[in-house]
Amino acid sequence: MSAPTPQPPPLPITPPSILGLDALFNNPVFAGGIGLAGLGAAAAFGRRAAISGAGLLRRQLLVNIEISKRDPSYNWVLAWLAQPRDNTGFLASRLTRLRSLSITTTTKSLAQDASSAASPGAGRTHADFRVQPGFGKHVVRHAPGVYIAVHREKAGTATTATGEPHETLTLTLLWMHRHVLGELFTAAHALAQSSQQGRTVVYTARKMEWAVLGRPRLKRPLRSVVLDAGVAEGLVADVKEFLRAQQWYTDRGVPYRRGYLLYGPPGTGKTSFIQALAGELDYSVAMINLSEVGMTDDLLAQLLTQLPEKSILLLEDVDAALANRRQRDPDGYGGRTVTASGLLNALDGLAAGEDRIAFLTTNHIDRLDPALIRPGRVDMMVRIGEATRHQASVMWDRYYGDIDEHHSGRQRFLDRLEELGLFGGDNQDPVAPKRHTSTAAIQGLFQFNKGDMEGAIKMAEGLIPRTFEPEEPSAEGSIKSPA
């Protein structure tokens, strides 16, 4: 009997699903798609990892500082960036290099700040152009191997009070160079101070903020404001004593602020003295117009608590401002205004700030509420009155001292003013009424007669205060012209 023929083992049965997957993977189109998807996922993951790594590296190696336009240092830094520097070592790029300007930018955005100043003689002016970074990204070479990235940006939002768009200035540099920031701000502040050297900055209230009013004024010497004997010296001594006594106020829990009231007729030098005092102390002047439409009690209190540093607060003609508050439109509404109680609380109340020197001026002290001038709100009242013989004498020497060597012209001028009744005294003409004149009027007379003291003596009668009589209306109903 023959042996049975061996049978091959049965083939494994492959499920249909596996057969389908095998067919898909064997399909070149499908396999290519899987490969592309994998590459895309890997690229996306790599990109995300690179971004995260770059962000981590940036946070570890770089330091940023953002400056808002509302910060005073914003303009300081812009002015510092506009200073000429050696332009060697700039970053290589397809940018136009500007001579004496160490700024490169991918946007070629530069801003121009122009100013002009009068030149002595011929009434000519000198223009000063300063190029500073415009909006966009810039790179500044501060020192060999030290670069600062500057990003000046204008936001889409705006300040509610002024409508000006918000602006920011972002400075970026390596962490290892972070000490440069202190040097930068110190240099920028010193540059701002040097540009104001010999000048007095005047601030004015603009809605809810303080803004510089025009360009800084040349400091006015104290000797240029001629007050009666001892008046200016007493005020200056009192203010300087107050500035030295801050610790004394702190130790006794007394609010560190002092108020002064200068009163008297117009043209006697009240405001001029305050400007000269600010120059003497190297202070600025912060003015508030209480009669301004829209000035409210809350706004006044906020402004007084945010006074610029080292500034004298000036409230002019407070009597007129409070008198205007009583006027109303026919409908009974006169707009938002400062009330008398609001002014009192702002000067000496819970909302009143400290470290403040305040000067109030008025032409009519009798119109002021006694509560306004009580101690604590007004600590010292000084009358700046009509021109006296002493003032006229000092002013004469200032204008004609170089040509009136023996003071004979001065004596004749003073005697003439007494004859006209402008001083009073023994030499006064008994027929002439007693009158007064102001230092502003005397100054105007001297300026009209530059270098001509005889002309000033002859025109002294022009110092008599003018009086204007109301004219009778003509038959046609118009006003008659003066003869």
Side-chain angles (χ1 to χ4, degrees):
M1 184 175 179
S2 60
T5 303
Q7 300 293 327
L11 296 173
I13 300 175
T14 304
S17 59
I18 297 179
L19 291 174
L21 291 175
D22 185 60
L24 286 175
F25 281 110
N26 290 332
N27 189 321
V29 177
F30 182 78
I34 289 294
L36 290 176
L39 289 175
F45 178 80
R47 181 175 178 273
R48 180 174 298 181
I51 293 175
S52 300
L56 179 63
L57 190 65
R58 182 184 180 88
R59 289 191 297 272
Q60 295 296 326
L61 299 182
L62 300 180
V63 58
N64 296 332
I65 181 168
E66 184 177 288
I67 310 170
S68 171
K69 187 178 182 180
R70 300 182 62 181
D71 194 286
S73 61
Y74 183 89
N75 291 322
W76 301 350
V77 174
L78 280 182
W80 179 83
L81 291 172
Q83 294 304 296
R85 298 181 184 84
D86 180 15
N87 62 355
T88 59
F90 283 176
L91 297 180
S93 64
R94 296 174 297 173
L95 305 173
T96 303
R97 293 190 177 185
L98 300 178
R99 181 174 298 176
S100 74
L101 182 68
S102 64
I103 297 177
T104 61
T105 170
T106 57
T107 59
K108 299 183 182 178
S109 174
L110 297 170
Q112 175 180 303
D113 182 19
S115 60
S116 61
S119 300
R124 291 175 292 181
T125 59
H126 168 70
D128 179 24
F129 296 94
R130 186 178 64 188
V131 180
Q132 61 189 19
F135 295 102
K137 297 181 179 179
H138 314 264
V139 176
V140 177
R141 181 180 182 272
H142 175 63
V146 179
Y147 294 90
I148 303 175
V150 180
H151 185 199
R152 187 180 179 187
E153 184 179 14
K154 180 183 294 186
T157 58
T159 305
T160 305
T162 62
E164 295 183 70
H166 291 118
E167 294 181 16
T168 57
L169 191 67
T170 304
L171 307 179
T172 305
L173 67 165
L174 290 174
W175 176 260
M176 62 185 296
H177 297 150
R178 61 189 181 279
H179 63 279
V180 172
L181 290 174
E183 300 173 1
L184 187 155
F185 282 102
T186 301
H189 181 262
L191 179 64
Q193 292 293 102
S194 64
S195 65
Q196 297 174 2
Q197 193 70 27
R199 296 179 179 272
T200 300
V201 181
V202 179
Y203 294 91
T204 185
R206 183 181 297 175
K207 300 298 182 182
M208 301 176 66
E209 300 176 349
W210 289 101
V212 177
L213 181 62
R215 299 184 61 83
R217 279 84 165 153
L218 288 174
K219 286 184 178 179
R220 183 165 185 172
L222 267 174
R223 59 181 178 79
S224 68
V225 183
V226 181
L227 302 183
D228 205 2
V231 174
E233 293 78 3
L235 280 168
V236 173
D238 189 85
V239 172
K240 289 185 176 180
E241 191 279 331
F242 168 76
L243 294 177
R244 293 191 297 265
Q246 182 173 8
Q247 190 60 45
W248 186 91
Y249 280 79
T250 302
D251 294 341
R252 289 156 180 78
V254 180
Y256 184 58
R257 53 178 176 259
R258 193 155 182 83
Y260 300 86
L261 174 67
L262 305 184
Y263 66 97
T268 54
K270 297 185 289 295
T271 304
S272 298
F273 170 77
I274 295 170
Q275 180 184 351
L277 175 64
E280 174 72 13
L281 302 175
D282 199 19
Y283 268 45
S284 58
V285 178
M287 301 190 309
I288 294 182
N289 182 8
L290 298 176
S291 301
E292 181 181 357
V293 176
M295 181 65 67
T296 63
D297 293 345
D298 294 340
L299 180 56
L300 176 63
Q302 179 178 350
L303 289 171
L304 264 59
T305 55
Q306 297 178 352
L307 279 175
E309 293 184 0
K310 295 187 65 177
S311 63
I312 294 176
L313 173 66
L314 174 58
L315 302 176
E316 288 191 293
D317 299 327
V318 289
D319 59 299
L322 295 179
N324 290 339
R325 300 311 178 190
R326 294 191 290 268
Q327 300 176 4
R328 292 292 182 267
D329 293 337
D331 58 359
Y333 178 71
R336 298 187 301 169
T337 57
V338 175
T339 63
S341 61
L343 176 59
L344 299 180
N345 290 329
L347 292 176
D348 180 30
L350 294 177
E354 296 199 16
D355 194 2
R356 185 186 72 201
I357 301 174
F359 273 85
L360 286 70
T361 67
T362 179
N363 297 332
H364 306 280
I365 191 173
D366 55 302
R367 299 179 184 177
L368 296 182
D369 190 327
L372 177 63
I373 56 179
R374 72 161 176 79
R377 296 188 177 114
V378 171
D379 302 292
M380 188 174 183
M381 293 189 295
V382 178
R383 185 177 190 275
I384 310 295
E386 299 83 356
T388 63
R389 186 183 182 90
H390 167 79
Q391 290 172 288
S393 176
V394 173
M395 294 179 69
W396 176 275
D397 290 341
R398 180 163 302 159
Y399 281 88
Y400 303 112
D402 55 339
I403 59 178
D404 186 21
E405 298 179 359
H406 303 290
H407 308 299
S408 59
R410 181 183 67 185
Q411 187 61 42
R412 287 187 289 123
F413 176 73
L414 297 178
D415 292 343
R416 177 58 177 155
L417 295 189
E418 287 190 350
E419 291 174 2
L420 295 172
L422 296 175
F423 293 152
D426 298 335
N427 296 329
Q428 179 180 344
D429 186 347
V431 180
K434 188 173 182 180
R435 313 181 184 96
H436 298 284
T437 190
S438 65
T439 53
I442 297 176
Q443 178 175 278
L445 174 67
F446 291 165
Q447 290 178 348
F448 187 82
N449 295 276
K450 298 182 182 68
D452 183 11
M453 65 178 186
E454 296 298 333
I457 296 173
K458 292 177 181 178
M459 296 180 61
E461 192 173 350
L463 295 176
I464 298 176
R466 300 177 182 177
T467 57
F468 297 94
E469 298 293 337
E471 295 290 342
E472 294 291 337
S474 63
E476 290 80 6
S478 61
I479 302 298
K480 294 181 180 178
S481 60

